[in-house]
Amino acid sequence: MDNKIDIKNIPVDVKVHKTDTGVNKYNPRDRIYVRAVKGLHQRLRRNMGFIFMGLFMLLPWLQFHGQQAILLDIVEQKFNIFGMTLWPQDFTILAWIFVIGAFALFFVTTFYGRVWCGYLCPQTVWTFIFIWFEEKIQGSRNNRMKLDKDPWTAGKVWKKALTHFCWLAFSLLTALIFVGYFTPVTQLFVDFFSFDASFWAVVSVLFFMFCTYGNAGWMREIMCTHICPYARFQSAMFDKDTFTVTYDAKRGENRGPRSRKDADYKTKGLGDCIDCNLCVHVCPTGIDIRNGLQYECINCGACIDACDDTMDKMGYAKGLISYTTEHSLEGRTTKVVRGKLVGYFLVLLAVCAAFGWTLVVRKPVMMDIVRDRGALYRETNEGLIENTYTLKIINKSQVEQTYLLSVSGIDELNWIGDQELTVQGGETANLPISLALDPVHANKPVLDIEFVLQDKDEPEVTLSQGSKFFSAR
């Protein structure tokens, strides 16, 4: 019986595109000049970027019941999100949101590759905005390359200074809006530009301003290729049925230039790729997609639009570079519905259901019972046994609520203090009260009682909290 294992020779010679052969090969910022490109995918990317950029800019300014709709107040340890206030005890809700985001990202990546990176990642969106400033001030890709090689003149200084001024101005706006999620945004803008802002507000704004300026203006693709961990583990979610930006080597090779009128180029051994390198020029990470799938690729589709435009001008069929799967390139059927994708989807549904259930069962009010730490009990002049408590009521909604308070467990207990309390939206109120009991009704040293809270306007909202009543016996 032949037990030999077939050996397959795997080529180890990998061609990697190099955009600069100079000595300073570890300074990619100086060697990647992104060329502007138009097309379906870039329109989609820009429109999605505008929508989410608009949401980012506008959300802090929205008002809800006279208050900032979204205010993540870290100092006060409460997050106001429209009609809901989240306290540290509610951080499981935030945890569910992050888990949902993670599995949604896994699901989308398994199906369509790194489209999050190419279309919605803040690093990508802000980078393209900064490149837009470059194009409007310094000109096209070739003009920017020429400008960097030219000696320093008044014109070059003006263009560079104006570019960096626009970068810093947009970074400042970004930082103010971002910090405005954590402090009242209107007051922040007024105080900042009137030089009346607090020390930590100024430090926070300047910190995020220079982070934005550095990331989108200078680091750019370094964030995607060297710093972002997502680029490193994304391949674990890929399979042969994942749609990724791919070059069809069977159709494109051998690549080479030719005339538009050259109809018999295939008889010369040439493929459809004319080796124009536009796919490299438009790539924000500076890779050559023709070298195969690379972890630097962010699936933005810029090379697809550039290649489709070239194919259209040459009179060739589009799709030399496209969103496709490895199985499709091999001539096999792509399995859209498959185990891994279904698994991520089911987990995502389960997590969403858990998040929804957490919101449904969440009470819009919370109550803590704090006993008097000075004494377990005391005897009044009337001979009654008295226990003192402080009721801490937290209104988790953002509207004023009135609550009715009572106690159960011992019918003969006398309530000393207010039994109706009004609490402002998102605020905490402390109510000191006492409970008194005739010793005749105290049949043991420690009695179980239960404080009951009920919303006056919404009686279905009730909350109970157990405690103890200490007697003299």
Side-chain angles (χ1 to χ4, degrees), residues 230-279:
Y230 181 53
R232 302 293 177 173
F233 68 78
Q234 59 161 339
S235 59
M237 290 168 271
F238 285 11
D239 54 35
K240 292 187 176 183
D241 294 302
T242 299
F243 288 87
T244 58
V245 175
T246 308
Y247 167 70
D248 189 350
K250 292 181 180 180
R251 173 186 162 187
E253 301 298 322
N254 291 315
R255 67 187 79 160
R258 78 293 304 269
S259 169
R260 294 186 185 181
K261 299 179 180 179
D262 190 356
D264 58 345
Y265 64 94
K266 291 188 177 181
T267 61
K268 301 176 183 178
L270 295 176
D272 284 355
C273 179
I274 66 173
D275 205 20
C276 62
N277 282 330
L278 288 180
C279 56

XYZ file of all heavy atoms in Angstrom, residues 230-279:
399
model
N -6.647 45.697 14.074
C -7.650 45.017 13.250
C -7.058 44.516 11.947
O -7.463 43.483 11.418
C -8.815 45.980 12.985
C -9.922 45.385 12.156
C -10.515 44.177 12.523
C -10.385 46.031 11.018
C -11.532 43.634 11.763
C -11.406 45.493 10.271
C -11.975 44.294 10.638
O -12.982 43.763 9.895
N -6.070 45.249 11.412
C -5.442 44.825 10.165
C -4.708 43.502 10.336
O -4.500 42.769 9.361
C -4.471 45.908 9.685
N -4.329 43.183 11.557
C -3.516 41.996 11.792
C -4.352 40.727 11.942
O -3.934 39.654 11.504
C -2.662 42.192 13.058
C -1.747 43.406 12.973
C -0.677 43.240 11.930
N 0.162 44.439 11.788
C 1.238 44.501 11.039
N 1.614 43.446 10.345
N 1.927 45.615 10.958
N -5.512 40.858 12.578
C -6.282 39.628 12.807
C -7.480 39.484 11.875
O -8.262 38.553 12.011
C -6.747 39.529 14.270
C -7.780 40.542 14.690
C -9.116 40.381 14.351
C -7.424 41.638 15.436
C -10.063 41.299 14.747
C -8.365 42.572 15.838
C -9.691 42.392 15.493
N -7.626 40.402 10.911
C -8.763 40.320 10.001
C -8.753 39.032 9.193
O -9.805 38.487 8.854
C -8.752 41.511 9.054
C -7.477 41.593 8.225
C -7.627 42.445 6.997
O -8.730 42.673 6.527
N -6.521 42.908 6.469
N -7.553 38.532 8.871
C -7.480 37.346 8.015
C -8.102 36.126 8.681
O -8.494 35.174 7.999
C -6.021 37.053 7.661
O -5.250 36.848 8.827
N -8.217 36.140 10.005
C -8.840 35.023 10.705
C -10.319 34.904 10.364
O -10.919 33.838 10.520
C -8.662 35.178 12.213
N -10.919 35.997 9.888
C -12.341 35.984 9.546
C -12.575 35.756 8.056
O -13.705 35.595 7.625
C -12.982 37.305 9.982
C -13.094 37.454 11.482
S -13.530 39.132 11.965
C -11.927 39.886 12.103
N -11.516 35.789 7.266
C -11.654 35.575 5.826
C -11.733 34.092 5.507
O -11.204 33.258 6.220
C -10.455 36.168 5.084
C -10.476 37.676 4.982
C -11.368 38.438 5.712
C -9.590 38.328 4.153
C -11.382 39.811 5.622
C -9.589 39.706 4.052
C -10.486 40.449 4.797
N -12.404 33.773 4.421
C -12.354 32.437 3.847
C -12.443 32.590 2.330
O -12.415 33.706 1.806
C -13.466 31.528 4.400
C -14.855 32.133 4.241
O -15.091 32.816 3.216
O -15.702 31.928 5.126
N -12.543 31.507 1.622
C -12.532 31.570 0.163
C -13.837 32.102 -0.422
O -13.938 32.278 -1.638
C -12.235 30.186 -0.407
C -10.816 29.709 -0.123
C -10.502 28.422 -0.849
C -9.060 28.011 -0.625
N -8.695 26.775 -1.380
N -14.835 32.354 0.442
C -16.098 32.920 -0.023
C -16.283 34.361 0.439
O -17.381 34.917 0.312
C -17.268 32.071 0.471
C -17.276 30.684 -0.141
O -17.324 30.604 -1.384
O -17.210 29.689 0.603
N -15.240 34.971 0.975
C -15.301 36.365 1.407
C -15.068 37.285 0.218
O -14.115 37.105 -0.544
C -14.248 36.643 2.485
O -14.498 35.816 3.626
C -14.287 38.105 2.924
N -15.919 38.266 0.054
C -15.758 39.234 -1.029
C -14.685 40.244 -0.649
O -14.831 40.979 0.338
C -17.080 39.960 -1.311
C -18.110 39.109 -1.987
C -18.982 38.314 -1.240
C -18.214 39.092 -3.365
C -19.936 37.527 -1.861
C -19.159 38.306 -4.003
C -20.022 37.514 -3.245
N -13.619 40.287 -1.416
C -12.543 41.236 -1.185
C -12.156 41.887 -2.510
O -12.476 41.376 -3.587
C -11.301 40.547 -0.588
O -10.866 39.509 -1.472
C -11.603 39.953 0.780
N -11.470 43.007 -2.416
C -10.961 43.660 -3.623
C -9.853 42.786 -4.197
O -8.822 42.568 -3.552
C -10.435 45.069 -3.298
C -9.794 45.690 -4.531
C -11.561 45.963 -2.797
N -10.056 42.275 -5.392
C -9.144 41.278 -5.959
C -8.878 41.571 -7.429
O -9.775 41.977 -8.177
C -9.745 39.864 -5.819
O -10.122 39.639 -4.454
C -8.742 38.805 -6.236
N -7.655 41.333 -7.815
C -7.223 41.476 -9.206
C -7.311 40.113 -9.893
O -6.822 39.112 -9.373
C -5.787 42.002 -9.232
C -5.086 41.915 -10.566
C -5.461 42.715 -11.637
C -4.019 41.028 -10.747
C -4.800 42.643 -12.854
C -3.344 40.949 -11.952
C -3.738 41.754 -13.008
O -3.080 41.686 -14.206
N -7.959 40.080 -11.055
C -8.112 38.840 -11.809
C -6.846 38.622 -12.641
O -6.714 39.115 -13.765
C -9.340 38.921 -12.715
C -9.679 37.594 -13.363
O -8.855 36.663 -13.264
O -10.759 37.490 -13.980
N -5.904 37.868 -12.081
C -4.610 37.672 -12.746
C -4.754 36.877 -14.043
O -4.013 37.118 -15.006
C -3.649 36.966 -11.793
N -5.691 35.943 -14.102
C -5.860 35.142 -15.323
C -6.250 36.018 -16.506
O -5.819 35.793 -17.627
C -6.924 34.071 -15.095
C -6.509 32.995 -14.103
C -7.614 31.954 -13.964
C -7.210 30.866 -12.977
N -8.275 29.846 -12.817
N -7.064 37.016 -16.207
C -7.499 37.909 -17.273
C -6.478 39.012 -17.527
O -6.287 39.448 -18.660
C -8.846 38.528 -16.908
C -9.305 39.595 -17.873
C -10.563 40.281 -17.391
N -10.748 41.544 -18.072
C -11.689 42.435 -17.765
N -12.543 42.174 -16.773
N -11.780 43.571 -18.427
N -5.810 39.485 -16.496
C -4.948 40.641 -16.636
C -3.549 40.356 -17.118
O -2.920 41.207 -17.776
N -3.002 39.188 -16.786
C -1.620 38.883 -17.166
C -1.571 38.259 -18.567
O -2.492 37.546 -18.968
C -1.010 37.936 -16.144
C -1.002 38.489 -14.719
C -0.181 39.749 -14.565
O 0.894 39.818 -15.219
O -0.583 40.642 -13.818
N -0.487 38.500 -19.273
C 0.646 39.335 -18.923
C 0.295 40.799 -19.144
O -0.322 41.163 -20.138
C 1.867 38.974 -19.766
C 2.426 37.613 -19.404
O 2.567 37.302 -18.232
N 2.735 36.808 -20.411
N 0.688 41.637 -18.223
C 0.366 43.047 -18.323
C 1.371 43.767 -19.216
O 2.521 43.354 -19.349
C 0.343 43.680 -16.931
C 1.694 43.741 -16.261
C 1.624 44.225 -14.828
N 1.185 43.178 -13.916
C 1.406 43.214 -12.600
N 2.044 44.225 -12.057
N 0.983 42.229 -11.822
N 0.947 44.888 -19.770
C 1.845 45.661 -20.621
C 1.104 46.757 -21.350
O -0.100 46.658 -21.602
N 1.792 47.831 -21.725
C 1.156 48.943 -22.435
C 0.838 48.566 -23.869
O 1.473 47.699 -24.465
C 2.211 50.047 -22.359
C 3.507 49.317 -22.256
C 3.233 48.073 -21.468
N -0.171 49.245 -24.405
C -0.531 49.027 -25.799
C -1.428 50.180 -26.270
O -1.918 50.978 -25.444
C -1.235 47.672 -26.003
C -2.704 47.544 -25.628
C -2.993 47.648 -24.134
N -2.267 46.696 -23.328
C -2.735 45.495 -23.005
N -3.922 45.134 -23.433
N -2.041 44.706 -22.217
N -1.647 50.284 -27.539
C -2.498 51.319 -28.096
C -3.963 50.919 -27.923
O -4.303 49.733 -27.855
C -2.187 51.518 -29.572
O -3.161 52.325 -30.191
N -4.839 51.920 -27.864
C -6.271 51.637 -27.774
C -6.770 50.907 -29.009
O -7.744 50.164 -28.944
C -7.057 52.935 -27.618
C -6.820 53.683 -26.327
C -7.768 54.864 -26.228
N -7.495 55.675 -25.041
C -8.192 56.750 -24.703
N -9.181 57.152 -25.483
N -7.890 57.433 -23.616
N -6.100 51.143 -30.126
C -6.528 50.529 -31.386
C -5.933 49.140 -31.582
O -6.221 48.495 -32.606
C -6.124 51.434 -32.551
C -6.769 52.812 -32.502
C -6.315 53.668 -33.675
C -6.954 55.054 -33.631
N -6.503 55.906 -34.751
N -5.143 48.713 -30.631
C -4.488 47.402 -30.753
C -5.503 46.321 -30.392
O -5.690 45.995 -29.226
C -3.268 47.342 -29.848
C -2.421 46.093 -30.125
O -2.839 45.266 -30.959
O -1.355 45.965 -29.509
N -6.154 45.751 -31.387
C -7.205 44.754 -31.143
C -6.649 43.345 -30.991
O -7.335 42.465 -30.463
C -8.231 44.777 -32.264
N -5.441 43.120 -31.457
C -4.880 41.765 -31.391
C -3.804 41.652 -30.311
O -2.819 40.953 -30.477
C -4.305 41.372 -32.745
C -3.221 42.344 -33.211
O -3.137 43.454 -32.629
O -2.468 41.988 -34.134
N -4.000 42.396 -29.218
C -2.994 42.367 -28.151
C -2.875 40.979 -27.511
O -1.816 40.602 -27.019
C -3.312 43.417 -27.081
C -4.611 43.188 -26.338
C -4.640 42.498 -25.131
C -5.820 43.669 -26.852
C -5.824 42.292 -24.456
C -7.002 43.464 -26.181
C -7.002 42.778 -24.976
O -8.182 42.572 -24.304
N -3.954 40.198 -27.544
C -3.894 38.876 -26.923
C -3.010 37.926 -27.709
O -2.419 37.006 -27.159
C -5.296 38.304 -26.776
C -6.148 39.050 -25.736
C -7.457 38.347 -25.459
C -8.240 39.066 -24.372
N -9.525 38.392 -24.062
N -2.926 38.145 -29.017
C -2.028 37.302 -29.819
C -0.568 37.594 -29.492
O 0.315 36.786 -29.801
C -2.278 37.546 -31.315
O -2.001 38.921 -31.635
C -3.715 37.225 -31.672
N -0.317 38.722 -28.873
C 1.040 39.078 -28.462
C 1.355 38.592 -27.045
O 2.414 38.903 -26.506
C 1.226 40.596 -28.521
C 0.998 41.183 -29.913
C 1.106 42.697 -29.872
C 0.814 43.296 -31.245
N 0.875 44.779 -31.231
N 0.406 37.868 -26.479
C 0.622 37.344 -25.130
C 0.286 38.312 -24.025
O 0.686 38.099 -22.872
N -0.447 39.377 -24.320
C -0.799 40.375 -23.321
C -2.202 40.118 -22.768
O -3.087 39.649 -23.486
C -0.753 41.780 -23.920
C 0.620 42.293 -24.373
C 0.478 43.658 -25.032
C 1.593 42.351 -23.205
N -2.364 40.440 -21.483
C -3.682 40.381 -20.867
C -4.347 41.743 -20.916
O -3.884 42.675 -21.600
N -5.436 41.911 -20.172
C -6.180 43.171 -20.211
C -5.509 44.283 -19.413
O -5.849 45.453 -19.589
C -7.601 42.961 -19.682
C -8.490 42.270 -20.700
O -8.005 42.048 -21.830
O -9.645 41.952 -20.376
N -4.610 43.960 -18.493
C -3.948 44.997 -17.699
C -2.926 45.719 -18.566
O -1.996 45.106 -19.105
C -3.263 44.394 -16.482
S -2.387 45.607 -15.458
N -3.081 47.035 -18.672
C -2.162 47.819 -19.499
C -1.007 48.380 -18.677
O -0.219 49.177 -19.180
C -2.906 48.962 -20.205
C -3.426 49.982 -19.195
C -4.050 48.409 -21.042
C -4.017 51.228 -19.854
N -0.922 48.001 -17.400
C 0.182 48.398 -16.519
C 0.287 49.920 -16.387
O 1.375 50.497 -16.410
C 1.500 47.835 -17.035
C 2.534 47.687 -15.913
O 2.121 47.645 -14.739
O 3.739 47.628 -16.217
N -0.885 50.558 -16.217
C -0.900 52.016 -16.081
C -0.570 52.467 -14.658
O -0.301 53.656 -14.430
C -2.267 52.574 -16.476
S -3.632 51.992 -15.431
N -0.639 51.534 -13.702
C -0.322 51.783 -12.283
C -1.298 52.739 -11.598
O -1.030 53.208 -10.487
C 1.103 52.325 -12.125
C 2.144 51.232 -12.230
O 1.889 50.081 -11.880
N 3.319 51.577 -12.736
N -2.439 53.027 -12.231
C -3.413 53.891 -11.571
C -3.976 53.251 -10.313
O -4.321 53.947 -9.354
C -4.550 54.227 -12.545
C -4.214 55.196 -13.680
C -5.437 55.422 -14.558
C -3.702 56.517 -13.137
N -4.058 51.944 -10.303
C -4.561 51.250 -9.112
C -3.641 51.484 -7.923
O -4.091 51.472 -6.762
C -4.722 49.755 -9.382
S -3.221 48.934 -9.943
